[in-house]
């Protein structure tokens, strides 16, 4: 009886035409390559995500661009002469001086000040004075000039000046100012108009004159003349 095939025989390997037999460990190598590739892809995605997150974080935490808050622009660049003020009111006493406005000192580093002082006086007649302060903003559009003028009015009202309900020329706001009446009677008006702060004072002709209503009418008329002289 013929004996069957004996071992060992080489292991059976299926052959495919034109292709070499698969190398040992091929599947394992392929898995390793895929795993490494996956790690690299994930690492790359992680780096990309980091940059995206970093960029988004920087955008979200960055300070917003600074913006300048625009204020009221300066309305006036110069002050009138005293004669221009006086020409708008009848029966004024003679003008003492018609000097132009002069620079004035200030501790405010945002403005430049100019001052005009006018006085009309005559013996036996009531007298009047006008003081104008022009505040020019050193930074155009900052609102520093108009802010200075308004602050002068606000301070006067805080001290007790009474806001005037009637319109005084082109003034933004005006108020009646009372002074110590122990001597010769005085009354005044404080108003602001654009970037100009104005103070008007009328003094009675005699110490015996105590007609405060007439004094105030004269002060209002002089304040209106001062307001309308601004251009």
């Amino acid at each position: 009886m013929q004996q069957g095939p004996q071992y060992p025989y080489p292991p059976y390997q299926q052959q495919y035409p034109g292709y070499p037999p698969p190398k040992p460990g091929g599947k394992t190598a392929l898995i390793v390559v895929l795993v490494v590739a996956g790690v690299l892809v994930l690492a790359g995605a992680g780096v990309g995500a980091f940059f995206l997150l970093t960029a988004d974080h920087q955008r979200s935490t960055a300070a917003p661009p600074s913006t300048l808050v625009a204020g009221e622009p300066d309305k006036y660049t110069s002050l009138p002469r005293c004669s221009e003020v006086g020409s708008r009111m009848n029966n004024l006493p003679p003008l003492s001086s018609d000097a132009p406005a002069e620079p004035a000192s200030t501790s405010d580093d945002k403005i430049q000040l100019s001052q005009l002082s006018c006085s009309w006086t005559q013996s036996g007649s009531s007298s009047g004075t006008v003081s104008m302060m022009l505040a020019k903003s050193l930074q155009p559009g900052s609102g520093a000039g108009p802010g200075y003028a308004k602050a002068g009015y606000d301070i006067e009202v805080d001290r007790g000046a009474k806001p005037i309900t009637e319109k005084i020329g082109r003034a933004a706001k005006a108020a009646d100012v009372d002074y110590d009446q122990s001597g010769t009677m005085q009354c005044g008006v404080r108003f602001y108009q654009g970037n100009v702060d104005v103070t008007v004072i009328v003094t009675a002709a005699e110490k015996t004159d105590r007609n405060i209503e007439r004094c105030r009418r004269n002060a209002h008329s002089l304040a209106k003349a001062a307001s309308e002289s601004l251009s």
Side-chain angles (χ1 to χ4, degrees):
M1 186 175 180
Q2 188 177 4
Q3 191 176 9
Q6 302 294 313
Y7 289 97
Y9 275 91
Y12 174 77
Q13 293 181 349
Q14 185 176 0
Q15 302 294 323
Y16 295 91
Y19 290 91
K23 295 181 180 180
K27 291 183 179 180
T28 303
L30 177 60
I31 292 172
V32 171
V33 170
L34 291 176
V35 169
V36 172
V39 170
L40 291 177
V41 169
L42 290 175
V47 172
F50 170 78
F51 282 118
L52 289 174
L53 289 173
T54 301
D56 290 341
H57 177 69
Q58 289 176 345
R59 283 195 293 267
S60 63
T61 58
S66 59
T67 56
L68 293 176
V69 179
E72 180 184 348
D74 291 355
K75 191 172 184 178
Y76 303 102
T77 58
S78 62
L79 292 174
R81 300 291 284 260
C82 294
S83 55
E84 295 177 51
V85 177
S87 66
R88 289 171 167 78
M89 185 174 174
N90 296 325
N91 302 321
L92 271 176
L95 177 63
S96 299
S97 173
D98 197 21
E102 297 179 345
S105 61
T106 176
S107 58
D108 191 337
D109 59 359
K110 297 178 182 178
I111 60 171
Q112 182 183 56
L113 282 184
S114 298
Q115 181 176 16
L116 178 72
S117 297
C118 307
S119 180
W120 294 265
T121 60
Q122 185 176 32
S123 178
S125 173
S126 60
S127 60
T129 63
V130 172
S131 176
M132 294 187 179
M133 300 292 289
L134 171 70
K136 290 184 182 180
S137 302
L138 293 180
Q139 182 179 339
S142 66
Y148 173 91
K150 181 179 182 299
Y153 168 85
D154 290 340
I155 290 173
E156 200 73 76
V157 171
D158 289 342
R159 291 173 177 170
K162 302 173 181 63
I164 301 171
T165 56
E166 67 180 273
K167 189 65 176 173
I168 301 294
R170 296 191 294 269
K173 289 184 179 180
D176 283 318
V177 182
D178 291 328
Y179 298 99
D180 182 9
Q181 304 301 339
S182 59
T184 304
M185 182 180 63
Q186 288 185 319
C187 61
V189 173
R190 183 76 174 263
F191 74 86
Y192 74 95
Q193 185 170 319
N195 54 318
V196 180
D197 176 25
V198 183
T199 300
V200 172
I201 300 176
V202 170
T203 304
E206 305 289 344
K207 287 185 177 181
T208 56
D209 185 355
R210 313 311 294 179
N211 192 334
I212 188 66
E213 293 304 321
R214 181 173 59 197
C215 183
R216 283 179 178 157
R217 285 196 302 270
N218 289 338
H220 287 194
S221 296
L222 186 53
K224 181 182 177 188
S227 169
E228 293 176 347
S229 69
L230 292 169
S231 60

